[in-house]
Each structure stands twice: as C-alpha cells, then as structure tokens.
Amino acid sequence: MRIVATVPSGERPLPAGFESLEPFVTYWAVAGQNERRHQRCDTTFEEIRRFYDAMLPRADAAMQHLSGFPLRDMPGPEARLMRLVLSLAQASMAVEVQGSARVPNAPWPDTVRILTEETL
Amino acid sequence: MRANFTQAAGLGTGPMSFEPYRTQAHFELERERIFRRTWLIMGRIEDVPNAGDYIVKEVEICNASILITRQASGAVKAFHNICSHRGNQVVWDTKGTRKTMFRCPYHNWTYGNDGKLLAVSDEKMFFNLDKKKCGLDSVQCDVWDGWIFINLNPDNRVSLREYLGSMGEFLSGIPYPNAHRSIRIQAYLKCNWKFLIDAFSESYHIPVLHSKTIGPTFSGKINPMSHLQNAEFFGPHHSISLFGNPDYKPEEAALVEKLAYAGMVSENVLAANQSQDTMDLRAHRSVNPAKSQTWSMDINEIFPNFHLDVAGGGFWTHEIWPITQDFSRYEMRFFVPKPETVREAFHQEHYIARLADVVLEDLANVERTHKGVAAGVKKQMHLQEHEVLIRRMLKLHEEFEESATLEEALKRCAWADSPDTAEPALEPVA
Ligand code: FES
Ligand SMILES: [Fe+2]
C-alpha cells in the first residue's frame, strides 16, 4: 500500500511560516489515523527521526496557528499542517518509546487496523 | 491461613493442560456448548441511537451474521442476516442509519426492520408463497446497562439478567463517558482465541513484555511485578484490579508525550478524558472496588469473550472472536470524546498510537505462544497466583463443556461465586 498526500495545483503546501516542513508533506500529511500509523510503520527509523526532529520544534507554533481554524473544516494548507502535527504523535512512538520504527519483533505488514468514525 | 486469590476462587494449584488450546475437538465443544448457548456481546445501545439505525455483527464460529435494528418503538431487535429466498445475506454493509427497510441485493426481497417480509419481486411467479412465514429469523436479544447481547439458542430460557447474575449487579449503574463515540483497533491473529483471552487477563507480563510502553505505569518500586490489587468472582464472570504506579512520570526525553498531555489534568497515561469528566465513573462502588490508592484499572470479564475495562481516565472493551481453531478476530474499542481543537486531536492521536503499540506487543506475542503450544512438545503450563483468571477460565470451560444446558452450566459454576473478598498472597501459599 502506497499512501501520499497531494497538494492541488495553485495551493501552497503549508501555511506561510512553515515552509521548512514542506519536504515532509507528501509522506506525512496523510488523512486518517490508520494511514498515519501505516506511514510510521512502513519506513525506517532514520526517516521517522528526520521527521520528528524537524517537526517537534514547530509543533507548538503549528497548533497555535491552527487554533484559529475549525478542526473539521480547514483550508488545504492548514489541513496538511494539522496532519503533520498528528503524525508527530505516531512518530514519537518510534522515537520516544520503542527506539525502533516499529514494535520490535512484530510482523510487518500486520493485520492491525485503526477504525475511526471520522477521518481527520 | 490467609487465602490467596487462587484458593478463594476454589481452584487447585497444579499445572494446567494445553489441550484446550490446540485440539479441534475442544473447538467444536466451544462452538456448541459455549458460543451457541451463552449471551454474546454485540455492542452499545449508542451504536443504534435512532429508530431505523442498524449494525451487522459476525459470530464466525457459528457462521452467524447478525442484524441488530432499532425499532420505531425504541426496542432493539436482532435477526439472522439471511434472506428467506435463497439464503443470501440481506444486509451487506456493517452499519447504517434511518433505514426501516432492507432489500436483499440478490433478487430484491424486501424486509422491514422488524423482520417482516414486505415485498417479493415478481411475486406472481412463485407457487403458494406464504409471505407471513418468510420473515427474517429473529434472534434473542436484550440490553443490560446499555450493552446489547444476543443468544443464538432459539430455545434459550436463561435471561440476560440471570446470565450476568451477580456480575451484572456488581457492575450495574456505571456511568460510561463518551459511550457514543469510539475508535476501534482490529486485528486478525493466527492463534487460538483463548490465547487472546489470557493475554488480557493477567498483569504478570506487563513489566516484562510491555517494559517500554506501559510497564512503568503498571509497576513500580512498591510493586515491581505488577501484582493484582483485588479479584472478585461471579459465577462464570470475574473482575480484577490492577496496580498503578503513583510515581510514574514521562521520561525526560518524551517531549511529544509531554506536549500531548500538556492540556490534560488526567488520571494516568491511559486517560482519554480529563479528570473532571470521569469523577462519576471513579465514584462508582465497583470501579476500583477495593478503593485502593494505587489503582490503575479494572478488568471485568464477561464470559466467554468480552472484557469491559474501566480506568480512572475512561473505559474500553476487548472482544475476542474465534474463527477457526487457530485463527481469531480481535477488536478493542476505546470510547473517547470528540476532539474540538487541534490540541485535543493531537492528544487523542497520541493516546491511540500508544495503545496500538501496546496491543501490538500483545498480539505479536499470542501468535508466538500459539506456535509454541501447537508444537505439542509441552503438555502443560504452570500458572502463578496473579494468573488466577487463566486457571479459572479453563475450569469454567470445563464446566460449560460438560453441561447439557446453559442452566446446568451456570449451576455447576456455583463454586465460582465467591462473596468473600480474597487477599492476595504476597508470598506463594504452600
Ligand atoms: S436471496 Fe435474497 S432475494 Fe434472492
Ligand atoms: Fe499486555
């Protein structure tokens, strides 16, 4: 399964001030908790770490910026920024908890699915 | 002599056989004497909040697909999801709203959500068709404290209340926060279903298997092996309370965890809710029944496959469904508030991400355990005091499998009702 976030032509990838995070949009700004978990599990620890290191210092500012927009009806750039923030929670499991991309010695791909009532 | 949990439960202390986990004969007995007889969890009343709402649930071990509908009268009804024409499934999705009629997609036979056959396409080409006799087959269905159960035995005469017995009274009236909204973690596992039951029935493994994820919250200086705080036994059902480490703090380096919990005044890391929103829950007489100061959560097991877990920060459930002898479906359901801000959504993402990792530690493990046991090399396992629920589960299965009826099984489980509260043995009792 290959999942990517796309940026419609004419739209900026992220709100002004967050340009440094643009290289992470395609892979990490995907919609859905199950999809974000998939991205975290389907890459290497080094890639997760790279995203974590870039995202963590901007997370608070990002949430600050996003607090001015309705959670379920954000403009494209804000929606992608929000998804980057949410992906940070997934990435932190690898970096802060497991010390590896996935649960050590668990199979990948696996049959685990996170089923939500709404897709953020 | 001080009674330990194992003795209080009326159980022996010898090793237990692995056979129930690996033989097809046991699996057949479980199908006929447990799943075709007992009351089985289907969901919450909030899953079908309005007239016309429905859900479809699978009971794979019995080849059953169950349609649950909410009637105009407010009643909840259950039917076999099987068309009276040629046996196709009438409803093909798993849930829906405001639908009072179901049309079988094969040849358009149409049923009301009360099960009645309303219309048959090209009816005049049939021969003496009695539509009144061609409704959906109804399944016994009842609701206890908002939980919907069914019973697949059409001749069953044990009510849901009788079935839950003293466990139902024990748990009754718990106010479940956010019962209307849940996130599920679902997985299919190559293992016998009882390994999953066992995986979520003891705390002995927590400081070891979960050493990085939840080990530090469920064990600590004063209880390094995560010993149980309490155990209560109610016929075939039971409830245990787990220790919570009062000294737990996120590690210095856990910067995202700190950020996620920054706006939360919560009970512990397994909190989906703010502390103030679970006050009623924590005040309930049977939540943390021993009212321990170092409590984390209760595991309430409703026989045979439903765990209703309650913690200071909210509640969640596990459903464990056998499919074949060595293949099972697992579903965990977390009841969580609807996030209104990005910070709340971020906290929830972190909460579920952590739980998915914890659960995956268990799930990868049950497949390994199954493999080891299926090898047939080992004859039996050795269970310690804090694995009492596993010992008890095996004994309860024996009672059910040797009984001709559910009534008899419940009678035989009378030994299992222990009104006296047991004290855990700090040292193994000889
Ligand atoms: S099987 Fe349902 S209409 Fe034919
Ligand atoms: Fe576990």
Side-chain angles (χ1 to χ4, degrees), chain B residues 208-414:
Chain B
V208 186
L209 184 71
H210 301 303
S211 61
K212 286 185 176 164
T213 44
I214 51 165
T217 66
F218 284 90
S219 59
K221 248 193 281 142
I222 53 171
N223 188 354
M225 287 314 296
S226 195
H227 284 169
L228 301 179
Q229 306 248 293
N230 191 50
E232 314 257 349
F233 308 116
F234 307 98
H237 321 290
H238 39 221
S239 171
I240 54 175
S241 301
L242 269 52
F243 172 80
N245 180 10
D247 304 323
Y248 175 78
K249 272 195 229 62
E251 284 190 36
E252 276 311 303
L255 298 171
V256 171
E257 177 176 343
K258 287 185 191 153
L259 191 60
Y261 283 77
M264 294 278 296
V265 180
S266 65
E267 290 303 303
N268 62 25
V269 296
L270 291 185
N273 297 278
Q274 301 274 2
S275 198
Q276 65 196 39
D277 298 331
T278 59
M279 248 147 55
D280 296 355
L281 176 76
R282 281 177 285 129
H284 188 276
R285 65 188 186 282
S286 301
V287 171
N288 182 11
K291 296 298 166 202
S292 158
Q293 294 297 311
T294 52
W295 168 83
S296 60
M297 61 178 282
D298 300 324
I299 299 175
N300 301 300
E301 301 194 10
I302 293 176
F303 192 85
N305 68 334
F306 180 48
H307 291 194
L308 170 46
D309 295 353
V310 182
F315 75 106
W316 59 87
T317 62
H318 303 265
E319 291 174 34
I320 292 155
W321 294 100
I323 298 175
T324 61
Q325 200 282 325
D326 54 4
F327 193 52
S328 307
R329 173 167 57 90
Y330 167 79
E331 232 173 85
M332 196 171 189
R333 213 176 157 187
F334 298 96
F335 294 81
V336 291
K338 187 173 177 183
E340 294 303 341
T341 66
V342 172
R343 284 187 197 276
E344 286 169 10
F346 180 59
H347 168 260
Q348 207 163 87
E349 185 101 2
H350 190 274
Y351 173 71
I352 297 294
R354 172 169 11 216
L355 287 161
D357 264 36
V358 173
V359 164
L360 191 57
E361 288 170 340
D362 290 305
L363 298 184
N365 205 57
V366 290
E367 294 194 339
R368 286 188 279 264
T369 312
H370 181 96
K371 197 172 163 205
V373 171
V377 174
K378 298 283 188 198
K379 299 286 172 265
Q380 54 192 23
M381 60 178 158
H382 306 276
L383 296 170
Q384 60 122 286
E385 161 75 345
H386 296 275
E387 297 174 296
V388 57
L389 292 196
I390 299 175
R391 195 183 284 283
R392 202 170 176 277
M393 180 275 289
L394 289 167
K395 184 85 161 81
L396 292 166
H397 273 226
E398 245 174 70
E399 302 292 8
F400 272 76
E401 286 157 16
E402 287 168 12
S403 297
T405 61
L406 179 58
E407 286 93 323
E408 187 190 332
L410 292 176
K411 254 191 223 119
R412 288 177 72 129
C413 289

Side-chain angles (χ1 to χ4, degrees), chain B residues 11 57 152 159 184 235 334 407:
Chain B
L11 298 164
K57 295 276 156 183
L152 288 172
S159 72
R184 291 168 197 266
F334 298 96
E407 286 93 323

